[in-house]
C-alpha cells in the first residue's frame, strides 16, 4: 500500500471525525430554554464568542450571510440576543437551539448531526476511503501472471533486429551509467541490472 | 425591425448548429472531405450568426431600442454608456445570448486551428460542439428570447440591477467567467471524439490539453474576481461565502485542474486515458449543472436569477448530456487502451494520483454540501442549511493536503525512487518548511491548520523554486552559460514545464494567503459619534463626519474616516451605506486600504445622519492582497505554458484521396 | 503494442460494455436528476415555520403611543391574530384595511399588531390616520419578531384559544384568507 496515500488518509480522517463533534445536537426540546449551562462571559471573550456563535446562524433576511456578517437590523438584533445569552452563561448549543425553535433548522448554517444529516459529514470521509482504495489498487505491484521476461525478451528481440540485447552495456563508463539509469526507469530494474530469470512461479 | 432581425439571426444559428451537428456525426461515422468541409462551414456560420446577434443586441442597448424585449427589461436612458454595454450579460436572456457568442468564438477557433489535423476526430468533435450550440440557440429561440417584440415599447426602462452598476469589475468578471465556463465545451467535444474514434494517443491529447488550459486560465481569474468583487463591494469583509452559485463556478474548476494533471500522465505514459476523458466530460457536465443551479431558482442563493421557464429546459439538456456521457463511457471507455503502466511505489505517478483523488474528493464534498438541503427536504421534509462553517471546515484539510502533494510530487522522480533519492529530494525543503512555520509562530500564528499551511507552504515553495531552477543549473553546468543566458534558454525550451511551476508557485501563495487571512485577522465593531476615534492594531480611525450623496441608481450616506497608522496619516477613507432602487435592504460599500502586508477594511453597519453616529466594523485582514497577486501569477503561468503550443509549426498535408475508415485504421 | 491488421483495428473499435462504469454512473446520476427535478417547483427562500402546532412564544410589549404593557397571557381564552407589520412595507399598508374590517366584525377574536423595525412616531401617525380598530405594540429590539421566527413583513400568526399557533401566513392578507384562517383558529385545529 502506498505510504503517501495512507498518510493523507490519516491526515484527513482524524480531523474529520473531530469536526463533526462541534455540530452534534440532540433533537429539539419541547420546552423553553432552561437554565444556563456554562459560565457567564464578559469582555474580549464575550466578543469573540458572540462572533463565533453568530457565524453559525443564518441571517433570516439576507439569507446568504451569517448573523455575524450581516448588517441587517434583524441580524443585529439577533446578535445582541446572542451576546446577552452568552453573558448570562448559556452555551453554544442552547443558543442555537433557541433560534432553531423559532426559525427551524434552516437557521443553523452548520448541519446538526441528526437523522440523515449524518450523510453530509460522513460522505466526504467515505469518498476519501473509497478513492484511497482505488488509488492504492491502481498503484499495486503488477500481478504475478505477467508475461515472463524470457518470452518478452524474445518478442522484443524478434521485433527489433540489429539492436544489442538488453543486458549488454557500452564500453564508456559514463555512457554505461546513463544506460543503466535509463533501464531502471524504463524497465523498473533496480540499478538498471536485469534481474535473474525467476524460477517458475509456484 | 431590430427584434425581427435578432430573431432571424438566432433561428439561422439554430439551423446552422443543428445541421452542423448532424453533418459532423455523419462525417465522423463515414469520413469524407466534403462532409468535413460542410461541417466546418456550418461551424463558422454558427459562430458568425451568434456574433451578429450579439452585435445587434448591443446596438439595441446602446440606442435604447425599447421595442426589443430584453432592452425593455434592463435598458435605461439614465445609465452611463458602459453600463448599457455590459447590460448584455447582466440578466437572464442576454447572458444566454452572450454564452452563444463565446461558444461560437471558441468553436470557430478550435475548428479553424485543427482544420487540417486529426481528420478522424474533428468531425465528431464539431458534431458535439454544434449539438451544444444548437441547444443554446434553441433556448434563445424559445424559452429565453431576448429579441421578443414589445408591443407598446416604453419610453424608458428600469436599467440593470443596481448592485451590478456598483463597480467596474462588472465589466470583466462575467466575460471571464463565460470564457472559462463555455470554453469547457471544447475539450468535452474532443474527449467525446476520442471515445467515439476509440483512441486517445499522445498526439491528440495535445489539443485536448490546450483547450482545457485556456478556459482554465479564464475560470481561475473569474472565480477570484468574483471573490474580489464580494470583498470590495459587499461589505461583510470576506471574499468567499460558499454560496451555491459560487460553488457552481468552483466545481468545474476543480475537475478541470485534476484533468490537466492526469492529461500529463496520458501524454507521458499513455495511462489514465479513460479517467482523463471522464474528468473532462465531468467538467463540462458540471458547467451545465452550474448554469442550472444559477438560473433555475432551486437553490437558496443571493445571486440567483429569478426562477423562470428555462430551469426545466436546462434540466432536460443536463439529463440528456448525462445519459449521453454515461452511454459513451460505458460502451467506449475500454477502447482507450493504456500504452504503459503506472509506476508502483512512491513516485511522481503516485503523487499525481493522490492529487487527482484530493481534487475529486473536494469536488464531491462541495457538490454534496450544495445539494444536501434538497436531499434532506426530500427525506425528512425539513428545510436545513449547509453553509459556510461546514465548507470551511472540510476544505481546510483538503487544501492543506493539496499543498503537501504539490510539494512532494515534483520532488519525487518519475521512475522508481530509491530511499537515498527520496531522502535527498525531501529533506532540504523540510528546512525551509520549518523556518517558515517558526516565523509564523513568532508572528503570532497559533492556529494549527495555519501553522501546517505555512509549514507545507515553505516546503512546496522550496521544491517549486528548485524545480524552476533545475534546468538553469543544468545548463550552467553542461553548457557553461551564465545565469541569465541559461534561464532564457531553459525557459525557451521547457516553457510548458516552467509555466506549470509558475502556476504552482501562485497556488502556494494563494493557499497560504487564504490560511493567514482567515485566521490572523482582527476585528472590532463600535458605535462612533462624529469626532470620535477608535483603534485596532496599529491603526487609528477617526469618524470625522457624514454626508449624503445622491446618484442616479443609489442614494448613499457616506462617512468620512481619517486613518492613521502608528501615528502617520494614511489619508481618508469613505465607506458608505446605500439604498439602491428596487432593493429593500440597505447595502454597505466598504472602504478598503490595501497594502502588501494587510488590508484595513472599514464597513458601515448602520449610520444616522441626524445624530451623526455610525456603527462601524473595522477589520485588519492580513495578506488578502496576496490572493489577488497570486491569482495573477497563476494566470501568467498558465499563459506561459500555453504559448509555445500556438506557435508550433503546422504542416499542411492535403491528401489526394478521401480518408476512409480502412486506411485510417491501417495508420495505427 | 501488438501490430493489428485492418480487420483487427475494426474489431478493436467495436463497442465493448463496461458494467462498472455504468453502475458508478447510474448510482450517481439518477438520484441527482430525480432530486433536481423534484425541486423545480419549490421556492428555496420560503421557509416553513416550526412553530405551527406549538404554543405561541410569550411577550410583553408596550402599545404604540404608550400605555400599559400587553402580554400574551391577556389573549388566553380567545382566538388571536398577531400581525407583524411596518409603515415602510407597502403590502402591510394594503392589508391593513382588511384586518381592520375583520377586527370590527369578529368580536370574539383579538387582533393585535406588532411593529417590526420602525419608528414609534411614524406608526402612531399612521394608526391615527387610518383609525385602527385594534392595538399595535412596539417591539423595540425585535426580540418578539425573532421569537416568532419572522423573516420579513407582513407575516401573520393565527392562534387558538389555548394559545397554540394554528397557522402562519406570509404575505398580505385579504378578507377571504382572514376569514378562513380565523375559522381554523376558532376550531383549534392546526
Amino acid at each position: 500500500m502506498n505510504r503517501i496515500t495512507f498518510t493523507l488518509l490519516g491526515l484527513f480522517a482524524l480531523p474529520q471525525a473531530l469536526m463533526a463533534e462541534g455540530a452534534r445536537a440532540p433533537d429539539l426540546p419541547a420546552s423553553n430554554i432552561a437554565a444556563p449551562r456554562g459560565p457567564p462571559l464578559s469582555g474580549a471573550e464575550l466578543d469573540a464568542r458572540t462572533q463565533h456563535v453568530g457565524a453559525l446562524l443564518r441571517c433570516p433576511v439576507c439569507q446568504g450571510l451569517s448573523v455575524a456578517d450581516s448588517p441587517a437590523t434583524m441580524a443585529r438584533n439577533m446578535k445582541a440576543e446572542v451576546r446577552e445569552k452568552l453573558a448570562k452563561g448559556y452555551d453554544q448549543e442552547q443558543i442555537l437551539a433557541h433560534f432553531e425553535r423559532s426559525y427551524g433548522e434552516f437557521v443553523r448554517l452548520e448541519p446538526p448531526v441528526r437523522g440523515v444529516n449524518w450523510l453530509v459529514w460522513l460522505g466526504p470521509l467515505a469518498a476519501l476511503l473509497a478513492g484511497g482504495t482505488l488509488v492504492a489498487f491502481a498503484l499495486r505491484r503488477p500481478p504475478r501472471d505477467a508475461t515472463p521476461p524470457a518470452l518478452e525478451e524474445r518478442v522484443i528481440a524478434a521485433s527489433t533486429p540489429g539492436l544489442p540485447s538488453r543486458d549488454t552495456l557500452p564500453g564508456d563508463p559514463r555512457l554505461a551509467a546513463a544506460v543503466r539509469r535509463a533501464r531502471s526507469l524504463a524497465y523498473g530494474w533496480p540499478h538498471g541490472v536485469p534481474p535473474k530469470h525467476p524460477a517458475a512461479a509456484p | 425591425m431590430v427584434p425581427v432581425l435578432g430573431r432571424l439571426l438566432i433561428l439561422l444559428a439554430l439551423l446552422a448548429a443543428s445541421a452542423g451537428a448532424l453533418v459532423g456525426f455523419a462525417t465522423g461515422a463515414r469520413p469524407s472531405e466534403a462532409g468535413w468541409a460542410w461541417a466546418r462551414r456550418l461551424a463558422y456560420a454558427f459562430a458568425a450568426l451568434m456574433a451578429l446577434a450579439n452585435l445587434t443586441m448591443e446596438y439595441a442597448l446602446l440606442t435604447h431600442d425599447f421595442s426589443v424585449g430584453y432592452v425593455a427589461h434592463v435598458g435605461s436612458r439614465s445609465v452611463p454608456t458602459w453600463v448599457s454595454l455590459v447590460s448584455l450579460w447582466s440578466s437572464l436572456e442576454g447572458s444566454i445570448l452572450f454564452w452563444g457568442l463565446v461558444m461560437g468564438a471558441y468553436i470557430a477557433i478550435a475548428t479553424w486551428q485543427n482544420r487540417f489535423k486529426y481528420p478522424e476526430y474533428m468531425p465528431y468533435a464539431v458534431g458535439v460542439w454544434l449539438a451544444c450550440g444548437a441547444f443554446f440557440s434553441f433556448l434563445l429561440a424559445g424559452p429565453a428570447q431576448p429579441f421578443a417584440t414589445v408591443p407598446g415599447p416604453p419610453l424608458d426602462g428600469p436599467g440593470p440591477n443596481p448592485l451590478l452598476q456598483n463597480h467596474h469589475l462588472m465589466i470583466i468578471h462575467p466575460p471571464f467567467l463565460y470564457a472559462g465556463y463555455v470554453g469547457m465545451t471544447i475539450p468535452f467535444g474532443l474527449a467525446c471524439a476520442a471515445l467515439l474514434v476509440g483512441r486517445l494517443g499522445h498526439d491528440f491529447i495535445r489539443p485536448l490539453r490546450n483547450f482545457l488550459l485556456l478556459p482554465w486560465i479564464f475560470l481561475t481569474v473569474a472565480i477570484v474576481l468574483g471573490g474580489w468583487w464580494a470583498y470590495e463591494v459587499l461589505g461583510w469583509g470576506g471574499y468567499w461565502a460558499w454560496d451555491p452559485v459560487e460553488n457552481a463556478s468552483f466545481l468545474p474548476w476543480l475537475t478541470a485542474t485534476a484533468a490537466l494533471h492526469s492529461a500529463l500522465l496520458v501524454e507521458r505514459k499513455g495511462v489514465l486515458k479513460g479517467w482523463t476523458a471522464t474528468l473532462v466530460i465531468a467538467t463540462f457536465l458540471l458547467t451545465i449543472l452550474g448554469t442550472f443551479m444559477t438560473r433555475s431558482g432551486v437553490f437558496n442563493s443571493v445571486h440567483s436569477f429569478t426562477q423562470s421557464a428555462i430551469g426545466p429546459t436546462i434540466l432536460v439538456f443536463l439529463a440528456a448530456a448525462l445519459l449521453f456521457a454515461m452511454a459513451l463511457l460505458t460502451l467506449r471507455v475500454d477502447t482507450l487502451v493504456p500504452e504503459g503502466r503506472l509506476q508502483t511505489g512512491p513516485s511522481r505517478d503516485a503523487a499525481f494520483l493522490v492529487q487527482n483523488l484530493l481534487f475529486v474528493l473536494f469536488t464531491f464534498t462541495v457538490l454534496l454540501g450544495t445539494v444536501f438541503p434538497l436531499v434532506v427536504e426530500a427525506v425528512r421534509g425539513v428545510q436545513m442549511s449547509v453553509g459556510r462553517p461546514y465548507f470551511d471546515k472540510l476544505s481546510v484539510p483538503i487544501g492543506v493536503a493539496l499543498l503537501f502533494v504539490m510539494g512532494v510530487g515534483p520532488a519525487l522522480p518519475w521512475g522508481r525512487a530509491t530511499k537515498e533519492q527520496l531522502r535527498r529530494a525531501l529533506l532540504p525543503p523540510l528546512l525551509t518548511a520549518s523556518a517558515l512555520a517558526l516565523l509564523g509562530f513568532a508572528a503570532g500564528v497559533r492556529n494549527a491548520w495555519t501553522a501546517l499551511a505555512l509549514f507545507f507552504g515553505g516546503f512546496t515553495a522550496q521544491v517549486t523554486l528548485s524545480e524552476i531552477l533545475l534546468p538553469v543549473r543544468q545548463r550552467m553546468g553542461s553548457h557553461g552559460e551564465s545565469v541569465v543566458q541559461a534561464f532564457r534558454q531553459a525557459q525557451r525550451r521547457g516553457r510548458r514545464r516552467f509555466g506549470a511551476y509558475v502556476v504552482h508557485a501562485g497556488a502556494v501563495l494563494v493557499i497560504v494567503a487564504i490560511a493567514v487571512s482567515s485566521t490572523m485577522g482582527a476585528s472590532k465593531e463600535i458605535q462612533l459619534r462624529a469626532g470620535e476615534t477608535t483603534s485596532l492594531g496599529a491603526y487609528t480611525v477617526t469618524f470625522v463626519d457624514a454626508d449624503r450623496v445622491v446618484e442616479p441608481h443609489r442614494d448613499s450616506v457616506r462617512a468620512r474616516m481619517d486613518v492613521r497608522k502608528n501615528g502617520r496619516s494614511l489619508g481618508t477613507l469613505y465607506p458608505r451605506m446605500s439604498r439602491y432602487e428596487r432593493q429593500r435592504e440597505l447595502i454597505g460599500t466598504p472602504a478598503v486600504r490595501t497594502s502588501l502586508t494587510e488590508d484595513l477594511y472599514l464597513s458601515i453597519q448602520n449610520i444616522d445622519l441626524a445624530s451623526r453616529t455610525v456603527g462601524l466594523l473595522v477589520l485588519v485582514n492580513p495578506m488578502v492582497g496576496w490572493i489577488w497577486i497570486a491569482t495573477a501569477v497563476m494566470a501568467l503561468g498558465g499563459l506561459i505554458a500555453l504559448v509555445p503550443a500556438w506557435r508550433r509549426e503546422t504542416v499542411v498535408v492535403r491528401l489526394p484521396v478521401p480518408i476512409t475508415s480502412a486506411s485510417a485504421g491501417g495508420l495505427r | 503494442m501488438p501490430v493489428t491488421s485492418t480487420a483487427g483495428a475494426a474489431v478493436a473499435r467495436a463497442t465493448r460494455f463496461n458494467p462498472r462504469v455504468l453502475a458508478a454512473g447510474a448510482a450517481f446520476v439518477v438520484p441527482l436528476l430525480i432530486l433536481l427535478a423534484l425541486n423545480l417547483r419549490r421556492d428555496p427562500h420560503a421557509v416553513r415555520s416550526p412553530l405551527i402546532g406549538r404554543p405561541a412564544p410569550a411577550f410583553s410589549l408596550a402599545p404604540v403611543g404608550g400605555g400599559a404593557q400587553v402580554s400574551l397571557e391577556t389573549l388566553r381564552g380567545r382566538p388571536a391574530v398577531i400581525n407583524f407589520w411596518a409603515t415602510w412595507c407597502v403590502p402591510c399598508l394594503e392589508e391593513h384595511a382588511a384586518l381592520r374590517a375583520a377586527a370590527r366584525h369578529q368580536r370574539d377574536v383579538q387582533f393585535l399588531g406588532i411593529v417590526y423595525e420602525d419608528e414609534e412616531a411614524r406608526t402612531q401617525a399612521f394608526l391615527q390616520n387610518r383609525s385602527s380598530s385594534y392595538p399595535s405594540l412596539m417591539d423595540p429590539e425585535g426580540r418578539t419578531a425573532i421569537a416568532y421566527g419572522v423573516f420579513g413583513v407582513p407575516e401573520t400568526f393565527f392562534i387558538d384559544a389555548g394559545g397554540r399557533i394554528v397557522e402562519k401566513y406570509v404575505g398580505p392578507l385579504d378578507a377571504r384568507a382572514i376569514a378562513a384562517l380565523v375559522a381554523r383558529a376558532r376550531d383549534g385545529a392546526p
Side-chain angles (χ1 to χ4, degrees):
Chain A
M1 250 288 240
N2 192 288
R3 271 179 229 158
I4 298 179
T5 318
F6 257 137
T7 316
L8 281 163
L9 277 172
L11 200 71
F12 186 70
L14 189 60
Q16 256 250 301
L18 294 172
M19 264 169 212
E21 194 73 42
R24 207 153 287 154
D27 271 314
L28 210 55
S31 62
N32 268 331
I33 194 166
R37 280 208 291 255
L41 299 175
S42 60
E45 199 192 343
L46 178 60
D47 287 341
R49 287 298 296 167
T50 309
Q51 265 310 101
H52 181 83
V53 176
L56 294 172
L57 287 166
R58 194 194 271 267
C59 169
V61 171
C62 38
Q63 293 177 354
L65 290 177
S66 71
V67 160
D69 293 330
S70 169
T73 318
M74 168 74 84
R76 284 188 288 123
N77 291 339
M78 282 171 78
K79 202 166 165 187
E81 196 168 344
V82 168
R83 192 189 186 84
E84 194 184 283
K85 292 208 147 57
L86 281 170
K88 285 201 189 122
Y90 290 98
D91 69 13
Q92 174 174 305
E93 191 45 50
Q94 285 181 301
I95 297 177
L96 293 178
H98 169 76
F99 286 103
E100 193 178 339
R101 227 183 312 272
S102 303
Y103 285 100
E105 204 173 319
F106 177 75
V107 81
R108 296 176 75 136
L109 281 175
E110 199 173 63
V113 180
R114 60 173 82 118
V116 77
N117 288 8
W118 269 107
L119 272 179
V120 84
W121 289 104
L122 290 183
L125 182 61
L128 175 66
L129 291 172
T133 314
L134 283 171
V135 167
F137 187 70
L139 290 172
R140 75 197 187 288
R141 298 216 164 272
R144 285 213 155 253
D145 53 351
T147 323
L151 178 60
E152 241 187 277
E153 289 285 342
R154 277 188 256 130
V155 166
I156 290 170
S159 59
T160 55
L163 290 177
S165 71
R166 293 197 298 172
D167 46 9
T168 56
L169 284 174
D172 182 290
R174 278 177 62 187
L175 190 57
V179 167
R180 271 195 278 119
R181 178 81 184 114
R183 282 178 185 156
S184 81
L185 289 173
Y187 311 137
W189 295 343
H191 303 296
V193 175
K196 303 272 187 293
H197 292 310
Chain B
M1 162 56 198
V2 168
V4 174
L5 175 64
R7 285 206 298 277
L8 181 65
L9 287 170
I10 288 176
L11 270 172
L12 288 174
L14 174 60
L15 274 171
S18 314
L22 288 169
V23 170
F25 280 113
T27 312
R30 197 160 294 175
S32 74
E33 266 288 338
W36 175 224
W38 269 106
R40 288 202 318 272
R41 283 185 203 127
L42 289 166
Y44 299 144
F46 170 73
L49 288 162
M50 272 296 169
L52 283 171
N54 274 266
L55 279 172
T56 311
M57 180 55 84
E58 282 288 25
Y59 174 76
L61 281 166
L62 288 171
T63 58
H64 307 298
D65 184 347
F66 293 106
S67 69
V68 177
Y70 182 68
V71 182
H73 193 69
V74 303
S76 164
R77 291 188 200 278
S78 48
V79 296
T81 314
W82 70 270
V83 175
S84 293
L85 261 174
V86 306
S87 307
L88 174 65
W89 50 74
S90 73
S91 184
L92 190 57
E93 298 92 5
S95 65
I96 299 186
L97 187 60
F98 188 62
W99 186 300
L101 169 70
V102 179
M103 185 176 267
Y106 264 110
I107 294 177
I109 294 172
T111 308
W112 188 83
Q113 243 222 339
N114 297 301
R115 63 198 187 282
F116 301 132
K117 292 189 258 187
Y118 316 113
E120 306 158 281
Y121 298 92
M122 286 308 295
Y124 277 130
V126 170
V128 171
W129 297 335
L130 287 178
C132 299
F135 170 70
F136 283 94
S137 310
F138 166 72
L139 271 184
L140 290 166
Q145 276 193 48
F147 286 105
T149 315
V150 177
L155 290 170
D156 199 353
N161 189 323
L163 262 183
L164 302 173
Q165 300 177 41
N166 207 354
H167 201 283
H168 288 258
L169 270 177
M170 187 54 197
I171 304 179
I172 48 172
H173 168 62
F176 267 75
L177 190 64
Y178 278 72
Y181 235 51
V182 178
M184 296 301 176
T185 314
I186 305 299
F188 171 66
L190 294 173
C192 289
L195 283 165
L196 287 165
V197 168
R199 195 161 71 248
L200 184 57
H202 90 279
D203 56 337
F204 194 60
I205 195 73
R206 209 166 278 154
L208 185 62
R209 175 205 158 256
N210 287 335
F211 277 106
L212 195 54
L213 186 55
L214 180 62
W216 181 91
I217 297 172
F218 281 116
L219 194 54
T220 309
V221 175
I223 291 172
V224 176
L225 276 179
W228 195 7
W229 192 82
Y231 184 71
E232 292 272 335
V233 171
L234 292 182
W236 55 281
Y239 40 81
W240 192 260
W242 299 104
D243 181 88
V245 170
E246 290 176 338
N247 296 347
S249 70
F250 192 47
L251 287 167
W253 184 88
L254 290 168
T255 50
T257 311
L260 279 170
H261 287 78
S262 71
L264 198 69
L265 279 180
V266 174
E267 199 173 346
R268 268 189 157 260
K269 293 197 165 178
V271 293
L272 296 184
K273 294 183 184 181
W275 174 243
T276 306
T278 310
L279 282 174
V280 170
I281 290 174
T283 306
F284 170 74
L285 292 172
L286 283 168
T287 63
I288 302 299
L289 175 65
T291 203
F292 173 78
M293 279 164 62
T294 309
R295 295 169 194 276
S296 66
V298 167
F299 290 84
N300 190 322
S301 163
V302 293
H303 303 70
S304 9
F305 305 144
T306 51
Q307 190 162 16
S308 65
I310 79 166
T313 319
I314 299 186
L315 188 60
V316 168
F317 179 62
L318 177 64
L322 276 166
L323 292 171
F324 171 70
M326 259 176 54
L328 195 58
L329 284 169
T330 306
L331 295 172
R332 303 293 295 175
V333 77
D334 287 333
T335 61
L336 301 181
V337 180
E339 293 160 34
R341 190 182 279 143
L342 283 169
Q343 180 67 48
T344 60
S347 71
R348 210 176 287 199
D349 294 25
F352 269 84
L353 283 189
V354 171
Q355 185 262 22
N356 262 222
L357 169 66
L358 288 170
F359 268 101
V360 171
L361 177 66
F362 207 171
T363 311
F364 175 76
T365 306
V366 174
L367 186 59
L368 179 67
T370 310
V371 304
F372 202 68
L374 302 185
V375 171
V376 172
E377 199 170 339
V379 170
R380 283 173 57 207
V382 168
Q383 280 158 303
M384 50 86 79
S385 307
V386 178
R388 204 169 141 217
Y390 167 84
F391 288 108
D392 278 350
K393 269 193 180 154
L394 287 183
S395 58
V396 165
I398 299 180
V400 170
L402 277 170
L403 194 56
F404 174 66
V405 178
M406 214 179 359
V408 168
L412 292 172
W414 274 108
R416 186 173 303 164
T418 63
K419 280 206 174 18
E420 174 62 38
Q421 286 171 319
L422 280 178
R423 203 145 32 89
R424 255 187 307 132
L426 295 177
L427 278 188
L430 283 176
L431 293 172
T432 320
S434 316
L436 197 61
L438 283 173
L439 205 70
F441 191 78
V445 171
R446 295 290 177 270
N447 181 304
W449 285 112
T450 310
L452 206 56
L454 284 173
F455 183 79
F456 289 143
F459 184 87
T460 307
Q462 160 99 346
V463 171
T464 309
L465 201 62
S466 63
E467 286 298 306
I468 290 179
L469 292 176
L470 179 67
V472 178
R473 285 204 314 264
Q474 281 178 339
R475 288 195 75 86
M476 282 171 68
S478 57
H479 294 251
E481 294 174 354
S482 72
V483 177
V484 176
Q485 265 183 314
F487 190 80
R488 281 182 57 199
Q489 286 297 325
Q491 202 245 72
R492 252 187 60 197
R493 285 148 200 272
R495 210 169 273 171
R496 264 178 59 178
R497 187 178 177 280
F498 176 64
Y501 284 120
V502 171
V503 174
H504 275 196
V508 171
L509 212 49
V510 165
I511 298 180
V512 169
I514 291 176
V516 171
S517 67
S518 321
T519 57
M520 297 292 294
S523 78
K524 185 176 193 178
E525 212 174 312
I526 190 168
Q527 291 282 127
L528 288 175
R529 277 189 209 284
E532 287 181 355
T533 301
T534 184
S535 68
L536 183 62
Y539 295 94
T540 48
V541 178
T542 310
F543 172 41
V544 177
D545 206 343
D547 62 354
R548 189 151 169 224
V549 178
V550 180
E551 287 162 287
H553 59 289
R554 65 180 173 183
D555 187 353
S556 323
V557 178
R558 197 174 62 162
R560 197 183 138 169
M561 305 281 180
D562 279 345
V563 176
R564 307 183 85 87
K565 183 173 182 184
N566 291 325
R568 212 174 38 115
S569 170
L570 291 179
T572 315
L573 292 176
Y574 292 96
R576 58 171 75 198
M577 192 68 138
S578 314
R579 170 161 279 125
Y580 289 80
E581 41 171 359
R582 306 195 298 180
Q583 303 275 332
R584 189 244 133 172
E585 284 292 323
L586 292 170
I587 293 176
T589 307
V592 186
R593 196 191 163 276
T594 310
S595 76
L596 268 186
T597 44
E598 62 201 357
D599 281 10
L600 175 68
Y601 191 99
L602 300 177
S603 177
I604 298 181
Q605 304 296 96
N606 57 282
I607 189 165
D608 188 17
L609 254 185
S611 59
R612 292 166 80 217
T613 52
V614 69
L616 185 69
L617 173 67
V618 184
L619 297 170
V620 175
N621 294 324
M623 282 193 85
V624 173
W626 282 103
I627 299 177
W628 324 129
I629 297 174
T631 309
V633 171
M634 283 174 79
L636 183 68
L639 284 172
I640 293 173
L642 200 53
V643 162
W646 301 102
R647 289 214 222 115
R648 201 169 282 277
E649 286 284 305
T650 314
V651 177
V652 176
V653 176
R654 286 244 135 140
L655 294 173
V657 296
I659 301 168
T660 63
S661 51
S663 60
L667 286 169
R668 272 185 105 175
Chain C
M1 277 272 275
V3 176
T4 56
S5 65
T6 311
V11 167
R13 292 221 295 268
T15 57
R16 281 175 260 180
F17 188 77
N18 189 323
R20 282 173 305 170
V21 171
L22 182 65
F28 191 66
V29 163
V30 172
L32 180 67
L33 283 176
I34 295 178
L35 195 65
L36 294 176
L38 286 177
N39 279 281
L40 275 176
R41 291 263 161 258
R42 90 189 241 287
D43 175 9
H45 295 277
V47 184
R48 289 182 298 279
S49 172
L51 289 172
I52 296 180
R54 288 240 177 88
F59 59 84
S60 182
L61 301 172
V64 173
Q69 293 217 329
V70 178
S71 72
L72 182 66
E73 269 67 62
T74 59
L75 304 175
R76 193 61 71 92
R78 294 198 290 164
V81 176
I82 300 184
N83 169 255
F84 284 86
W85 68 284
T87 58
W88 45 258
C89 155
V90 173
C92 305
L93 307 183
E94 288 168 358
E95 70 170 356
H96 184 81
L99 283 166
R100 202 178 56 207
R104 288 215 187 94
H105 290 138
Q106 323 259 19
R107 288 282 167 191
D108 59 321
V109 178
Q110 173 68 59
F111 281 73
L112 206 60
I114 297 187
V115 179
Y116 173 85
E117 294 182 15
D118 207 345
E119 294 160 24
E120 187 155 9
R122 282 175 57 145
T123 53
Q124 198 167 10
F126 173 81
L127 290 172
Q128 278 170 351
N129 203 331
R130 297 284 195 100
S131 54
S132 179
S133 58
Y134 60 88
S136 272
L137 310 177
M138 288 301 294
D139 184 20
E141 283 168 357
R143 292 300 170 91
T144 310
I146 293 173
Y148 276 78
V150 169
F151 281 83
V153 283
E155 285 184 10
T156 314
F157 292 82
F158 293 82
I159 301 171
D160 70 6
R164 299 173 73 82
I165 295 181
V166 162
E167 182 61 81
K168 169 183 171 179
Y169 190 90
V170 175
L173 285 161
D174 59 14
R176 261 187 43 202
I178 298 176
L181 289 168
V182 162
R184 276 179 48 194
R186 283 211 188 90
D187 295 339

